[in-house]
Amino acid sequence: TTVTFELIDQYGNTHSCDIIIWVVDSQKPTLTCPENQQLQVGIDCTAFASWNQPTVTDNDPTGATLAGPFGGTNGDSYPPGQHDITYSATDAAGNVATCLFSITVVDTLPPVFNAGQCH
């Protein structure tokens, strides 16, 4: 944006100059991931996990672009262990924010002697 300043003294002499104002967005978007989850395995030795997409806000009215999930798929089955899921958000100025949450699948069921079972 160019702003023109004009100065006039008491004798009517004038002088003007243009000032260019650059607005720079250096603020990352705000990205809020779902809470961590701890799930119990089922009969098939996995646990089904689902979550709501993270929320993204940005100081630019055009918003930010959400990418992910990385490390897993929403609505999938997961084997025992910890699974880290990440998302990222990028705004129009190229500022990037990331968030991470974990899905931990545990097997606390007593063992069962049965072919094809994980317990």
Side-chain angles (χ1 to χ4, degrees), residues 34-42 46-51 78-83 101-109:
E35 296 291 322
N36 293 335
Q37 296 182 34
Q38 181 167 322
L39 306 170
Q40 172 66 45
V41 296
T46 65
F48 174 79
S50 65
W51 57 86
Y78 291 85
Q82 180 175 315
H83 308 275
F101 68 100
S102 296
I103 297 169
T104 303
V105 179
V106 297
D107 181 359
T108 59
L109 300 175

Side-chain angles (χ1 to χ4, degrees), residues 2-3 5-6 11 19-20 39-40 46 48-49 52 60-61 75 77-78 83 85 87 94 96 105 111 116-117:
T2 302
V3 177
F5 287 91
E6 185 174 39
Y11 303 106
I19 297 177
I20 298 173
L39 306 170
Q40 172 66 45
T46 65
F48 174 79
N52 292 325
D60 183 337
S77 292
Y78 291 85
H83 308 275
I85 311 296
Y87 281 86
V96 179
V105 179
Q117 301 288 325

Side-chain angles (χ1 to χ4, degrees), residues 3-101:
V3 177
T4 301
F5 287 91
E6 185 174 39
L7 303 171
I8 302 172
D9 68 13
Q10 62 190 3
Y11 303 106
N13 300 311
T14 64
H15 180 76
S16 65
C17 66
D18 292 335
I19 297 177
I20 298 173
I21 299 173
W22 295 93
V23 178
V24 177
D25 177 6
S26 60
Q27 185 176 356
K28 295 179 183 180
T30 301
L31 184 60
T32 305
C33 262
E35 296 291 322
N36 293 335
Q37 296 182 34
Q38 181 167 322
L39 306 170
Q40 172 66 45
V41 296
I43 194 76
D44 66 348
C45 304
T46 65
F48 174 79
S50 65
W51 57 86
N52 292 325
Q53 258 192 334
T55 57
V56 182
T57 56
D58 192 51
N59 61 348
D60 183 337
T62 61
T65 302
L66 182 66
F70 305 105
T73 303
N74 193 356
D76 226 354
S77 292
Y78 291 85
Q82 180 175 315
H83 308 275
D84 293 330
I85 311 296
T86 59
Y87 281 86
S88 65
T90 306
D91 67 13
N95 300 307
V96 179
T98 59
C99 70
L100 175 134
F101 68 100

